[in-house]
Amino acid sequence: MLGRFGGSAVLVGQWVVGARTLTPRFAAAAGLPYRRFLPWNLPSAATWGLVWVAVGYGASEAYQRWSWLAAVAAVVLLAGLLLLGRRALDRIDALEQA
């Protein structure tokens, strides 16, 4: 693919999960010259990094705003699991006594 599409394949490869780390190796194996690889890889790597920093920042903002809700949901979930576990134990005890 890199031999056929060249730089545009490098640009796309930067955004594909798992291929980002392999794209330079594939480009070298395909014989893509470094002078052709770098102008495509540099902006795609920079935008990839900026996007994930922005996602992390947004997640941080959401966490600070909604962390209380996550704590309440965790407590409710834990209480529900304990209740279900207790019911299951009661049923097992009832079956063993029968």
Side-chain angles (χ1 to χ4, degrees), residues 10-32:
V10 171
L11 181 77
V12 171
Q14 184 70 31
W15 289 91
V16 176
V17 174
R20 183 178 58 84
T21 57
L22 298 174
T23 299
R25 291 170 185 84
F26 291 152
L32 188 67

Side-chain angles (χ1 to χ4, degrees), residues 29-60:
L32 188 67
Y34 190 69
R35 279 186 253 152
R36 189 164 175 211
F37 171 81
L38 188 62
W40 287 93
N41 188 59
L42 195 60
S44 64
T47 55
W48 182 87
L50 289 172
V51 164
W52 284 109
V53 166
V55 167
Y57 179 77
S60 169

Side-chain angles (χ1 to χ4, degrees), residues 25-97:
R25 291 170 185 84
F26 291 152
L32 188 67
Y34 190 69
R35 279 186 253 152
R36 189 164 175 211
F37 171 81
L38 188 62
W40 287 93
N41 188 59
L42 195 60
S44 64
T47 55
W48 182 87
L50 289 172
V51 164
W52 284 109
V53 166
V55 167
Y57 179 77
S60 169
E61 289 286 322
Y63 175 76
Q64 290 174 3
R65 179 176 290 170
W66 298 103
S67 61
W68 66 271
L69 184 60
V72 170
V75 168
V76 169
L77 180 64
L78 181 61
L81 289 174
L82 290 174
L83 181 65
L84 287 175
R86 182 68 190 159
R87 281 185 160 178
L89 288 176
D90 288 344
R91 287 182 186 168
I92 290 171
D93 287 341
L95 288 174
E96 287 177 352
Q97 291 177 359

